[in-house]
Amino acid sequence: MITLVLRRLGSVLLVMLIVAGLSFLIFNYLGDPVNNILGVNATLDERDELRRTLGLDQPSYIQFWHFLERAVVGDFGISYRNRVPVLELILSRLPATVELVVCATILALGVGIPMGVYCALRPKGFFSRLLQIIALIGISIPQFLIGMLLILIFSVELRWLSAFGRGDVVQFGWWSTGLLTETGRMALIMPVLTLAVFQISMIMRLVQGEMQEVMRADFIKFARARGLSDRSVHLRHALRNSLLPVVTVVGMQIGSLIAFAIVCEAVFQWPGLGLLILQAIEYADFPVMAAYLALVGFGFAMINLTVDMIYLFIDPRMRRK
Amino acid sequence: MNPASALVVRDLSISFDSRHGSITAIDSISFQLAKGEILGIVGESGAGKSLTGNALIGLLQGPGRIAGGEILLDGQRIDNLPPEDQRKIRGKRIGAIFQDPLTSLDPLMSVGDQLVETIRTHLPLTATAARGRAMDLLAEVGIADPAKRFGQYPHQFSGGMRQRIVIALAIAAEPEVIVADEPTTALDVSIQAQILALLRRLARDRGTAIMLVTHDMGVIAEIADRVAVMYAGRLVEIGPVDEVLRAARHPYAAGLMGLIPSLARREARLPQIAGSMPRPGHWPQGCSFHPRCAQAGPRCSAEVPVLASVAASTVACHLFSGGTALPKGT
């Protein structure tokens, strides 16, 4: 089991190295950093001077090594646009996105799994047919449209919720949270809903499909023949056996939620990483883009690692002595 | 009714409701199981053996339903009880063993936990007491080193071992009756013999009545006390195992026994009964075997034969109750 964990860690390292390579390429070879920093009117001497200070006169592999050295300690350079260290910029935006994604995931799991279980147990009932239709709609509508519809209803028409921003936040060191203030919580509602609608629908359909499949398995029939209560048969045996694929998909979805919260953040002007990367792309702010890529890559790798660990926890067949 | 009967099935009919009306799959079968007796139920696939077993454990799957008759457990009628009461009987008073031990156990739960879960569903025991009982059960069904095996998962056991665990689960609450549906079909022959010996011991030592559904005559010959032969949803012959195996009366039963290959005679072609068994909804008029029966007469296509005693057996065939000619006056 320990070797399995170590092997997974090894593959995470490999992935991170490749992602770092890509970030390095963006950082060094997309546009000319010297031009970007000094502008086009600098003299040749000034350029050579900066080139030496930045280490750009050295061979690529040494530059890559230095890039790695700096990346490990979180030094991704200075943002061209904001003139502050990239790490500082990212850390200031990270909490907003993490809060958004975590809330959306909790909502998606908390609503999607029970809905899926319900539909699996009563596939022909009126209510589950209704839920399935809603889920189909939820999967089909593009995210930005959901966001705009919500804004139209709750901000423009009803005037209940603010259409943009995070509301008031409370600061804990570098972490800022909107969960502790009334306006912060109110501001979370619509973006979280926007992000979660697709996830809820998908998780519901996934759980329903898997569970209906598992309910036909022999061990479920045998569990009934053992006289176990319906509750125990459904939740302890059928649901648990249905969750393996759900774990995989949810893991992948959380990763993409972080990355693709971009759309949602743009619609709600949510001051998170998504908005930051949009601005960075607009201004060709390569250090921010490189750091964002590395960070998202790291996030994905960590989530995959967690999923593998959860797999080991749930499924004894995966554990090898 | 025989007072020692653990289970009595009387005129049990099962039908399936479909858009085209109701189709009868089991037509009014009756038999009983004495305490400690092993009754073999044989017949071709689709004859209704497993369906009967499922009805006994109250697990008929929709759209199938009990259309008539009654099932009595220790003199008490159980087929019309509310679902929750039926559930309490399942596992507690009627245990079940299924065909494939590889898929009968929950792969994500240790065998010990599955045992404890079953025990605590039916018996008011503390976790520790249930654990002790689970160990005893594992030992009883012949699992070596129960303390070590307790925490292991199904995939760490071989097929034969898993069927032993399935049996341990089935007897966890000491049921009076066990319905074993093809318990050895998925196992290789040497393991089969061990599992059969285990079942035999349960019947003898605990007085458990076992209804053994199978299509393997070898299994029947080895452990059954009595045999019931089913054909197209009806019981055609039931009697002591020696009687039925050696001298079956019903032409279908006799044909079936004639199919058992023998090492003593070598044949170029294995014998077979011509034709195939009709599916539910397509049963012919009268005796449902008559289109395949060499001895059929005019009465066979007109009148369903009823069970009648012939020596130690009971047979449903006109040959043994008045002949196959149509009675005068019809």
Side-chain angles (χ1 to χ4, degrees):
Chain A
M1 179 145 169
I2 291 167
T3 47
L4 202 74
V5 175
L6 286 179
R7 212 181 307 152
R8 288 285 192 280
L9 278 175
S11 65
V12 165
L13 268 180
L14 190 70
V15 167
M16 286 315 300
L17 214 61
I18 293 169
V19 170
L22 286 173
S23 315
F24 172 71
L25 288 180
I26 290 181
F27 188 72
N28 274 39
Y29 298 104
L30 276 185
D32 182 356
V34 176
N35 258 350
N36 287 331
I37 292 172
L38 292 179
V40 280
N41 296 326
T43 64
L44 269 178
D45 283 344
E46 281 173 326
R47 282 163 186 272
D48 284 343
E49 177 61 30
L50 185 66
R51 215 176 279 278
R52 255 194 308 282
T53 354
L54 289 178
L56 293 178
D57 54 340
Q58 286 168 316
S60 310
Y61 63 90
I62 293 184
Q63 288 187 43
F64 183 48
W65 178 248
H66 288 313
F67 175 82
L68 281 183
E69 276 181 341
R70 288 195 305 269
V72 166
V73 296
D75 179 5
F76 286 96
I78 307 252
S79 159
Y80 296 158
R81 191 170 80 95
N82 302 55
R83 300 283 165 200
V84 291
V86 172
L87 185 71
E88 208 173 284
L89 202 58
I90 283 189
L91 283 186
S92 71
R93 297 298 197 95
L94 187 67
T97 297
V98 168
E99 236 166 59
L100 183 64
V101 167
V102 168
C103 289
T105 308
I106 291 172
L107 182 71
L109 291 174
V111 177
I113 292 180
M115 270 165 63
V117 171
Y118 181 86
C119 290
L121 295 180
R122 287 193 188 73
K124 294 202 168 100
F126 170 76
F127 192 57
S128 40
R129 273 171 208 254
L130 190 72
L131 282 181
Q132 283 170 53
I133 292 171
I134 295 175
L136 197 63
I137 297 173
I139 281 188
S140 316
I141 299 185
Q143 222 180 55
F144 70 91
L145 199 62
I146 295 175
M148 291 189 326
L149 282 175
L150 287 177
I151 289 179
L152 192 68
I153 297 170
F154 292 104
S155 303
V156 180
E157 292 298 323
L158 296 173
R159 296 180 177 280
W160 287 354
L161 299 168
S162 159
F164 60 88
R166 280 185 89 188
D168 299 322
V169 292
V170 180
Q171 209 72 32
F172 288 102
W174 60 272
W175 189 272
S176 63
T177 176
L179 289 173
L180 296 177
T181 64
E182 182 73 29
T183 53
R185 282 192 294 265
M186 296 295 268
L188 262 172
I189 295 175
M190 287 199 294
V192 164
L193 217 56
T194 306
L195 261 188
V197 164
F198 176 82
Q199 309 296 332
I200 291 174
S201 312
M202 198 196 50
I203 289 172
M204 182 199 121
R205 289 169 65 98
L206 194 67
V207 170
Q208 182 192 1
E210 283 301 320
M211 195 157 156
Q212 277 178 318
E213 188 75 32
V214 171
M215 292 288 281
R216 284 194 286 271
D218 281 353
F219 66 84
I220 293 299
K221 192 183 169 200
F222 188 59
R224 286 195 199 290
R226 286 192 273 146
L228 304 186
S229 65
D230 280 353
R231 192 189 156 78
S232 169
V233 171
H234 295 156
L235 299 185
R236 205 178 317 165
H237 295 283
L239 181 60
R240 240 180 92 171
N241 275 279
S242 324
L243 281 184
L244 286 177
V246 178
V247 169
T248 315
V249 173
V250 168
M252 278 161 47
Q253 287 298 321
I254 297 174
S256 48
L257 273 182
I258 296 175
F260 301 112
I262 292 176
V263 176
C264 183
E265 292 185 3
V267 171
F268 290 98
Q269 288 300 298
W270 190 259
L273 286 176
L275 214 52
L276 180 71
I277 186 69
L278 277 185
Q279 289 158 355
I281 292 169
E282 214 171 312
Y283 288 92
D285 196 344
F286 295 116
V288 174
M289 284 158 69
Y292 178 80
L293 183 65
L295 186 83
V296 169
F298 182 69
F300 258 93
M302 282 302 124
I303 287 163
N304 270 323
L305 189 69
T306 315
V307 166
D308 286 342
M309 295 301 114
I310 294 177
Y311 251 94
L312 283 181
F313 177 72
I314 298 184
D315 193 343
R317 287 164 295 188
M318 309 280 288
R319 299 175 212 148
R320 289 274 154 87
K321 273 188 233 155
Chain B
M1 191 205 308
N2 182 348
S5 287
L7 184 86
V8 176
V9 173
R10 205 180 282 147
D11 296 327
L12 179 72
S13 293
I14 296 171
S15 50
F16 285 83
D17 294 326
S18 72
R19 266 174 297 175
H20 312 292
S22 172
I23 295 168
T24 304
I26 299 285
D27 186 15
S28 173
I29 60 170
S30 302
F31 59 88
Q32 32 188 286
L33 261 171
K35 290 195 170 83
E37 181 187 41
I38 299 180
L39 172 70
I41 306 246
V42 296
E44 287 170 64
S45 308
K49 310 181 300 270
S50 298
L51 210 52
T52 309
N54 286 344
L56 292 189
I57 55 177
L59 283 182
L60 268 186
Q61 270 153 359
R65 64 182 172 85
I66 294 181
E70 51 187 23
I71 300 167
L72 294 103
L73 181 65
D74 207 13
Q76 180 209 358
R77 192 163 171 197
I78 57 167
D79 59 285
N80 57 357
L81 291 176
E84 184 57 20
D85 291 347
Q86 286 198 14
R87 175 184 74 72
K88 283 183 182 144
I89 289 176
R90 273 202 300 276
K92 169 103 178 86
R93 301 187 60 196
I94 303 184
I97 301 167
F98 293 139
Q99 175 169 349
D100 191 353
L102 300 184
T103 56
S104 289
L105 300 168
D106 186 336
L108 302 187
M109 197 186 262
S110 73
V111 298
D113 285 346
Q114 296 190 45
L115 273 165
V116 167
E117 170 191 56
T118 313
I119 292 167
R120 295 197 70 189
T121 302
H122 298 298
L123 305 173
L125 292 181
T126 62
T128 328
R131 199 183 151 86
R133 191 183 165 86
M135 301 274 191
D136 294 345
L137 282 165
L138 286 176
E140 179 167 359
V141 296
I143 304 277
D145 199 358
K148 177 176 157 241
R149 293 298 225 169
F150 185 89
Q152 293 190 339
Y153 291 88
H155 72 277
Q156 291 164 300
F157 292 83
S158 67
M161 285 293 159
R162 285 195 225 184
Q163 196 64 307
R164 287 171 190 271
I165 290 162
V166 167
I167 292 174
L169 284 163
I171 62 172
E174 297 193 17
E176 299 131 76
V177 178
I178 289 179
V179 175
D181 192 347
E182 311 260 9
T184 55
T185 308
L187 304 172
D188 67 54
V189 181
S190 58
I191 308 292
Q192 271 188 18
Q194 296 171 8
I195 296 295
L196 291 177
L198 176 59
L199 288 175
R200 176 86 260 177
R201 206 180 71 219
L202 286 177
R204 202 182 50 223
D205 296 353
R206 294 179 168 230
T208 314
I210 299 177
M211 182 181 124
L212 183 73
V213 173
T214 183
H215 53 243
D216 186 339
M217 294 302 166
V219 169
I220 295 290
E222 195 155 325
I223 72 165
D225 299 307
R226 285 193 305 141
V227 188
V229 182
M230 285 187 77
Y231 182 80
R234 295 193 182 115
L235 216 52
V236 296
E237 178 156 353
I238 180 166
V241 67
D242 293 339
E243 194 86 6
V244 176
L245 281 183
R246 241 178 314 109
R249 304 297 194 306
H250 193 281
Y252 173 70
L256 202 60
M257 302 310 152
L259 302 184
I260 305 170
S262 158
L263 288 175
R265 17 172 240 272
R266 294 197 65 87
E267 281 153 310
R269 248 183 107 87
L270 290 172
Q272 45 182 302
I273 303 177
S276 60
M277 192 179 66
R279 295 191 5 246
H282 297 88
W283 293 345
Q285 284 264 301
C287 171
S288 41
F289 185 61
H290 82 263
R292 299 170 74 187
C293 181
Q295 293 154 279
R299 191 178 164 204
C300 300
S301 55
E303 195 185 316
V304 179
V306 292
L307 283 166
S309 292
V310 181
S313 301
T314 315
V315 182
C317 178
H318 292 313
L319 284 172
F320 303 94
S321 53
T324 59
L326 278 172
K328 287 197 177 73
T330 50

